[in-house]
Amino acid sequence: MSVVFLLTCLSMVQRVGAQAELRYEDEVYLENIKSVKFHHEGLLTSLPIIDLNSGAQLVLSFDDIYGGDRDYSYKVIHCDKDWRPSSIDEMEYIDGFNDERIDGFAYSVGTKMDYTHYVVSLPNRNLTWRLSGNYVLVVRDDDAGELALTRRFMVVEPKVKIAAQAVKAIKASQVNTHQEIDFVVNHKDFYISNPQREIFVTVMQNGNWHRSIQNIQPRVVTGYDLNFERTEQITFPGLKEFRGVDLRSVRSKGYGILQIDNYPDGYEAIVALDRNRNGQSDFDYNDLNGQYLVETLDDNMDDIKAEYVDVLFSLASRDEILDQKVCVVGAFNDWKCKAEYVMSYNYDNQLYNAYVLLKQGYYDYQYVLVGREGVDFEFFEGNSFSTRNEYTILVYLRSYADRYDRLIGVSSFVSDF
């Protein structure tokens, strides 16, 4: 049994370590950081979106599989709508202190792999934010002087109302495969002097920033209604319902698990063989829209008693796809095709496979093809207009009087055909 820890990345990220460049996006910089979750308190699969001055909190948690007790600190950075650092001063957007230590941690109990679980809630008595907009949470390993992880989050001041729906695409060639997002933003109770110049909207599919359309402006303004309907610009491939695997127990086989092996130094799970779904009929079942949950059915403390499992994914393919990489992705790895998620081709069995280290839980996943043209989410999955996808609409305002991009409205909904 092998645990794959490779540092080389297929993306533009520089070499991991002290020289890693800060990226204003979801990223894990260290090989020992696993199972990163960042969500609204009590909503375990939600995006990290919170109302300004609401009294609610966002919760960040992660594991250090090296174990022990290390000093991790966090800070927040305000960004513009395009996820670049804002020009405003730190004192203008936070109350309290940046670079605070993460004090919440606990050691794993009774697990075959030792790890330390860290958790911090924001805002808290040491740090809160004053302004709406985009933020990046930065966590550093102070003992090593290295970046550990970054996470995007959004603070909204709800000023506008959003009515949205998913409809079939306008183009005849996309009617059976794509989803168009139509919506109207109403600002009756909030003055906007020039909506067609000051409003910018982002629409995101399944919480995946790699599948988002940004800087959309109103097509028509009628009174207080900003109309974004019937425009080909806001059209997404429907994909298929996510594949899923239930790793909540290492004592019995969950959904999608073919075999579980118990070794002295850990567990190995074999996922049932997957096949290319492109061109195949759609299938209907409830998924997590790409997200994942950490949970164990074998004990009562998910955070510190859940086991880590070496999970073998296999994808049937008659031939190796030359000059391109095949990867397994989902929210569990920020949708990124890093080296540890790249699948190798087995000529004897005519399949791709990869071992992925996962904490007990339930995981949605997809297979993607990565080449010079970027990431192809459709090659192995195909598309259907009727797939249930979750869409998030983010409405930004940059008026002539503002020095930053305000987030004045957010709406999430699931397409239903």
Side-chain angles (χ1 to χ4, degrees):
M1 181 179 68
S2 63
V3 177
V4 182
F5 292 129
L6 299 177
L7 299 181
T8 306
C9 182
L10 295 179
S11 65
M12 295 182 294
V13 180
Q14 295 181 3
R15 178 177 169 81
V16 174
Q19 301 303 313
E21 180 183 357
L22 173 63
R23 302 186 66 171
Y24 296 89
E25 59 183 68
D26 297 336
E27 183 63 81
V28 174
Y29 302 87
L30 300 177
E31 63 175 345
N32 51 301
I33 302 298
K34 300 292 182 184
S35 304
V36 181
K37 295 287 293 179
F38 194 30
H39 54 82
H40 198 282
E41 182 182 25
L43 302 173
L44 300 182
T45 60
S46 66
L47 292 176
I49 300 174
I50 190 169
D51 284 354
L52 185 65
N53 301 323
S54 64
Q57 289 183 304
L58 299 176
V59 180
L60 172 76
S61 62
F62 62 91
D63 291 342
D64 182 342
I65 60 171
Y66 287 174
D69 178 9
R70 300 185 67 81
D71 281 338
Y72 288 100
S73 64
Y74 65 91
K75 66 181 295 183
V76 299
I77 300 174
H78 192 276
C79 294
D80 65 15
K81 60 181 174 57
D82 299 314
W83 295 100
R84 297 173 302 213
S86 300
S87 59
I88 55 176
D89 231 17
E90 184 179 282
M91 293 185 298
E92 297 179 76
Y93 63 80
I94 65 166
D95 273 328
F97 305 95
N98 252 335
D99 292 315
E100 286 293 295
R101 186 177 187 269
I102 297 179
D103 293 323
F105 67 92
Y107 305 119
S108 60
V109 176
T111 56
K112 292 195 175 186
M113 174 182 284
D114 293 332
Y115 59 87
T116 306
H117 181 74
Y118 293 83
V119 62
V120 63
S121 297
L122 297 168
N124 53 47
R125 63 182 182 181
N126 295 320
L127 185 149
T128 189
W129 35 77
R130 296 179 175 182
L131 306 178
S132 69
N134 291 340
Y135 286 82
V136 169
L137 174 63
V138 182
V139 176
R140 294 185 62 87
D141 179 345
D142 290 336
D143 289 332
E146 298 176 335
L147 287 168
L149 64 94
T150 46
R151 279 295 178 267
R152 307 188 204 216
F153 69 98
M154 288 74 71
V155 178
V156 56
E157 44 181 321
K159 299 293 187 181
V160 299
K161 297 178 180 179
I162 305 168
Q165 64 176 339
V167 300
K168 283 191 173 184
I170 297 175
K171 286 185 178 180
S173 61
Q174 298 179 337
V175 166
N176 294 320
T177 58
H178 285 59
Q179 298 174 346
E180 177 188 306
I181 308 305
D182 288 354
F183 59 98
V184 175
V185 176
N186 180 277
H187 67 103
K188 181 179 179 181
D189 300 319
F190 180 69
Y191 177 72
I192 302 175
S193 62
N194 192 341
Q196 288 184 304
R197 295 178 64 90
E198 297 176 352
I199 293 295
F200 301 87
V201 176
T202 291
V203 180
M204 178 169 44
Q205 185 185 62
N206 296 323
N208 182 356
W209 283 98
H210 303 286
R211 299 188 67 81
S212 65
I213 301 172
Q214 303 179 34
N215 290 318
I216 311 164
Q217 294 190 278
R219 186 176 65 86
V220 176
V221 176
T222 306
Y224 295 109
D225 287 337
L226 315 182
N227 193 302
F228 294 82
E229 296 178 318
R230 309 311 292 174
T231 169
E232 296 180 13
Q233 181 185 3
I234 319 174
T235 301
F236 292 83
L239 298 176
K240 298 285 182 65
E241 303 295 346
F242 283 87
R243 306 174 195 258
V245 61
D246 187 348
L247 292 168
R248 291 178 296 170
S249 177
V250 292
R251 300 171 184 169
S252 60
K253 295 183 293 184
Y255 174 80
I257 299 297
L258 189 65
Q259 179 178 325
I260 297 177
D261 294 317
N262 183 349
Y263 295 100
D265 60 343
Y267 295 92
E268 182 178 291
I270 300 175
V271 177
L273 180 64
D274 286 316
R275 300 185 184 278
N276 192 323
R277 301 192 299 179
N278 198 342
Q280 302 298 314
S281 299
D282 194 15
F283 57 98
D284 184 30
Y285 72 96
N286 291 324
D287 60 12
L288 299 179
N289 287 319
Q291 302 303 307
Y292 76 99
L293 287 169
V294 171
E295 184 179 9
T296 175
L297 300 180
D298 302 324
D299 217 305
N300 59 359
M301 300 179 71
D302 301 325
D303 293 337
I304 59 174
K305 289 191 175 182
E307 298 279 1
Y308 271 88
V309 183
D310 252 344
V311 183
L312 178 62
F313 291 89
S314 300
L315 175 65
S317 178
R318 290 184 178 179
D319 299 296
E320 182 179 16
I321 303 171
L322 300 177
D323 300 323
Q324 298 187 81
K325 303 294 184 182
V326 176
C327 293
V328 55
V329 300
F332 68 89
N333 65 358
D334 302 326
W335 311 93
K336 293 182 178 179
C337 189
K338 292 187 176 181
E340 61 195 285
Y341 307 107
V342 176
M343 309 185 80
S344 58
Y345 188 69
N346 185 315
Y347 290 93
D348 293 334
N349 297 324
Q350 292 186 312
L351 55 83
Y352 281 94
N353 53 36
Y355 277 100
V356 177
L357 185 68
L358 297 174
K359 197 174 185 179
Q360 279 185 273
Y362 191 97
Y363 291 80
D364 274 5
Y365 66 97
Q366 293 174 323
Y367 294 107
V368 298
L369 191 64
V370 182
R372 293 180 180 178
E373 302 301 318
V375 181
D376 187 342
F377 285 88
E378 304 161 48
F379 185 88
F380 293 109
E381 307 299 340
N383 288 307
S384 172
F385 80 92
S386 62
T387 303
R388 286 190 297 268
N389 291 301
E390 182 173 357
Y391 291 96
T392 302
I393 299 171
L394 305 160
V395 181
Y396 298 93
L397 169 70
R398 183 64 173 266
S399 73
Y400 70 92
D402 292 324
R403 295 187 296 113
Y404 68 99
D405 295 325
R406 298 168 66 182
L407 180 56
I408 60 171
V410 174
S411 178
S412 293
F413 72 99
V414 176
S415 57
D416 187 12
F417 290 90

